Amino acid sequence: MDSKFDNGVLSIMLPQRISAQNAPAFEKELLVIEQLKTAKEIILDAENLVYISSLGLRVILKLQKKFKDTPLFILNTSAEVYKIFDDTGFTSLFNVKKKLRYVDTSAFKLIAGGMYGSVYLINEEQILKVFHGIQSENDIQPVISAIRVAFVHGLPTIIPFEIVRTEKGIGMILELLNSEMLSTLIAKNPQNLDKYIEDMIELSKTLANTTFEETTLRSRNEMLKSKLKAAADFFTPEEFLTVEKYIDAVPKRNTALHGDFHAKNLMMSDDMLMLIDMDEFSLGHPLWDVANLNCIYQAMVHIDKETADDVFDFGKSLPYEDFYFKIIGCTFAQAEIIWNKFFNGYFLGYSEEDKSKILKLVEFYANLKFITFLIDVCNKLKDNPDKAAKKVQTIRYFLAKLKSQNLDMLIKYLDLWK
Ligand SMILES: Nc1ncnc2c1ncn2[C@@H]1O[C@H](COP(=O)(O)OP(=O)(O)OP(=O)(O)O)[C@@H](O)[C@H]1O
Ligand SMILES: [Mg+2]
């Protein structure tokens, strides 16, 4: 039986048929798979399965009973096989998913694309966002669920439609916003900057004032820690614990966070600011979003070109400011203005002394953002250890910067955050 073990996820390929004839043999072969004992998730891949009888279903029940603490998924079922699982009540016992629809991206216009993802225009109502290299719908499902939860809580965001398969990886079909990116509007109408920043502040405060039940969304702290855990092999135990400590120092909250809040992930639709790029949408202290904004409009502007290249690999043939404009949508000078207006507006009414203390804390977490970004990159570079090792060097550079500061003192400034 074909099986694959990756990052704690055990995927087992089910055979074409599991009937009275082969069910006992199937059971024997299945239950001896060594990684069943350590897997944090078991996936039964039904890609090839065309028929399963009651004896076959019983084997799956036995598997679940034996490893009852490990989540079990049955993925990629055909419509016919799904019906068997549904008729027998298995769909209410297990997470059974139908085979994803295959979409050939070459038929569509690419509207944005980078190393790790691409966005295509499907029609006047829909876009397709593909995550390169991601093969499991379980990795995308939390994103779709998060967008749905945000939407039904009245937050201004798009409607998610469907998870699909493409030749480049798993993708999701989302509502197309026929509107302009806030970064484009800022560049086009600088005279309206104050109004745009006010809208950004209002939206980030709306997020921070929207409470969710703890179980409906992922926690920012836990998300960052699980990415760190997946990259644990790259670090010494001491480095691992240091980053974990920095994440844990931020108190948990049940309020919403965008996770990558900046003007290129916001669109203005009929005078209303909308959130796009919700991959990191989660629950947590608003410090995470404010620090992200500081990272984008300050820390990224002020790092030296060499370090910037170590982080982003833009290649030195391109001047860094041009690269920055390409990914963030504004010049260094505009970034300064955006940050200063945002920060002073967000903390309006605070004393200058309190603001300068809060700023120090925000800057600490803006630098941590480089680290968590690079941890993500390392996880995507598992097949390219040399390149990942270079990223780890860069993480160490930022870690050294953070270690020279007194976080125990800085974190107390959170008490000033009203
Ligand atoms: N729902 C949408 N409606 C219209 N355009 C969209 C939508 N979602 C994404 N886009 C376009 O695709 C671009 C990239 O999308 P998104 O920000 O979700 O992906 P990303 O992988 O984070 O890319 P980036 O690294 O540029 O932020 C956006 O800047 C926007 O131009
Ligand atoms: Mg984006």
Side-chain angles (χ1 to χ4, degrees):
M1 197 174 313
D2 262 356
S3 69
K4 191 167 82 203
F5 192 60
D6 189 17
N7 263 330
V9 179
L10 174 64
S11 289
I12 301 166
M13 208 68 196
L14 296 178
Q16 261 193 339
R17 297 177 67 82
I18 312 173
S19 59
Q21 283 80 40
N22 68 344
F26 166 68
E27 176 177 340
K28 254 197 202 147
E29 237 186 290
L30 179 72
L31 297 180
V32 297
I33 297 176
E34 196 52 37
Q35 294 98 339
L36 279 170
K37 292 178 201 140
T38 50
K40 64 169 199 250
E41 201 171 277
I42 303 168
I43 295 176
L44 298 180
D45 189 333
E47 169 86 39
N48 301 329
L49 187 68
V50 292
Y51 177 74
I52 181 160
S53 74
S54 61
L55 270 181
L57 292 172
R58 241 185 274 278
V59 177
I60 296 180
L61 279 175
K62 267 193 205 163
L63 175 73
Q64 194 227 12
K65 247 191 174 155
K66 193 158 177 204
F67 301 98
K68 58 179 181 307
D69 295 328
T70 318
L72 178 73
F73 297 87
I74 303 168
L75 302 184
N76 275 329
T77 61
S78 65
E80 295 77 20
V81 169
Y82 185 87
K83 190 166 181 314
I84 302 176
F85 283 119
D86 204 29
D87 289 346
T88 51
F90 263 60
T91 46
S92 52
L93 286 176
F94 299 95
N95 213 325
V96 187
K97 293 268 172 56
K98 282 192 196 151
K99 194 175 287 186
L100 298 178
R101 185 160 70 88
Y102 181 80
V103 171
D104 178 2
T105 59
S106 66
F108 304 115
K109 186 178 161 214
L110 182 73
I111 52 173
M115 236 194 328
Y116 305 114
S118 312
V119 177
Y120 299 88
L121 185 68
I122 302 264
N123 55 38
E124 285 121 67
E125 271 118 39
Q126 297 177 328
I127 58 144
L128 165 64
K129 181 167 178 178
V130 177
F131 299 85
H132 297 174
I134 290 198
Q135 302 300 345
S136 164
E137 66 176 302
N138 278 355
D139 295 334
I140 304 303
Q141 193 59 55
V143 179
I144 289 260
S145 308
I147 306 178
R148 286 206 174 108
V149 169
F151 187 80
V152 297
H153 273 71
L155 293 172
T157 189
I158 53 208
I159 307 172
F161 293 110
E162 187 189 357
I163 301 183
V164 294
R165 277 184 311 133
T166 79
E167 72 283 9
K168 294 200 178 85
I170 301 282
M172 53 187 182
I173 296 191
L174 302 168
E175 176 184 18
L176 167 79
L177 283 180
N178 244 329
S179 42
E180 280 202 275
M181 220 123 61
L182 186 65
S183 53
T184 313
L185 287 174
I186 291 176
K188 263 211 256 184
N189 314 309
Q191 73 282 6
N192 296 343
L193 185 62
D194 285 352
K195 155 87 172 64
Y196 295 143
I197 303 293
E198 268 171 37
D199 289 350
M200 277 177 88
I201 294 170
E202 195 188 318
L203 181 52
S204 69
K205 294 210 168 174
T206 301
L207 289 172
N209 289 323
T210 308
T211 310
F212 290 81
E213 265 189 46
E214 212 171 319
T215 50
T216 50
L217 278 174
R218 298 172 294 176
S219 119
R220 184 83 194 128
N221 295 38
E222 294 311 317
M223 257 169 102
L224 292 173
K225 283 201 289 180
S226 81
K227 288 176 183 183
L228 171 67
K229 219 166 155 188
D233 289 350
F234 292 112
F235 304 111
T236 67
E238 191 267 335
E239 286 164 345
F240 181 93
L241 290 173
T242 304
V243 178
E244 194 176 54
K245 185 182 83 187
Y246 293 161
I247 298 169
D248 277 334
V250 181
K252 290 190 175 177
R253 280 215 188 162
N254 288 351
T255 50
L257 275 179
H258 179 269
D260 192 14
F261 191 81
H262 62 89
K264 235 189 144 190
N265 282 334
L266 298 169
M267 292 184 109
M268 188 68 86
S269 180
D270 290 333
D271 224 24
M272 175 148 150
L273 213 47
M274 307 275 289
L275 301 160
I276 62 160
D277 199 357
M278 299 278 281
D279 309 352
E280 303 285 321
F281 190 77
S282 45
L283 297 179
H285 196 287
L287 168 64
W288 291 116
D289 266 355
V290 175
N292 190 70
L293 210 72
N294 180 274
C295 179
I296 302 279
Y297 294 115
Q298 287 285 285
M300 271 178 75
V301 168
H302 294 292
I303 46 172
D304 62 90
K305 206 172 111 211
E306 306 295 319
T307 314
D309 194 41
D310 289 341
V311 176
F312 301 109
D313 286 326
F314 60 95
K316 300 216 187 72
S317 57
L318 187 69
Y320 177 48
E321 185 162 4
D322 293 357
F323 169 77
Y324 180 83
F325 187 86
K326 225 168 95 181
I327 58 165
I328 303 300
C330 67
T331 62
F332 285 170
Q334 286 164 336
E336 292 288 341
I337 301 171
I338 293 172
W339 168 254
N340 285 317
K341 282 188 187 287
F342 181 91
F343 183 74
N344 288 310
Y346 195 97
F347 294 103
L348 192 70
Y350 286 57
S351 70
E352 286 308 314
E353 193 193 337
D354 286 357
K355 279 203 295 192
S356 80
K357 286 178 173 164
I358 289 174
L359 182 60
K360 286 212 171 72
L361 174 66
V362 165
E363 284 169 348
F364 183 96
Y365 280 94
N367 271 311
L368 187 73
K369 170 73 197 197
F370 281 125
I371 294 177
T372 56
F373 168 78
L374 288 165
I375 286 173
D376 244 350
V377 176
C378 284
N379 281 330
K380 286 168 183 153
L381 287 175
K382 286 230 155 113
D383 298 334
N384 193 339
D386 288 348
K387 219 167 163 192
K390 237 193 112 208
K391 297 294 172 198
V392 173
Q393 284 311 317
T394 317
I395 290 177
R396 293 199 169 120
Y397 161 84
F398 285 107
L399 213 47
K401 265 185 158 189
L402 294 185
K403 276 187 184 165
S404 68
Q405 296 188 52
N406 182 351
L407 180 62
D408 292 341
M409 181 192 74
L410 292 178
I411 206 73
K412 292 206 182 90
Y413 298 156
L414 266 190
D415 296 341
L416 304 169
W417 193 304
K418 293 188 260 285

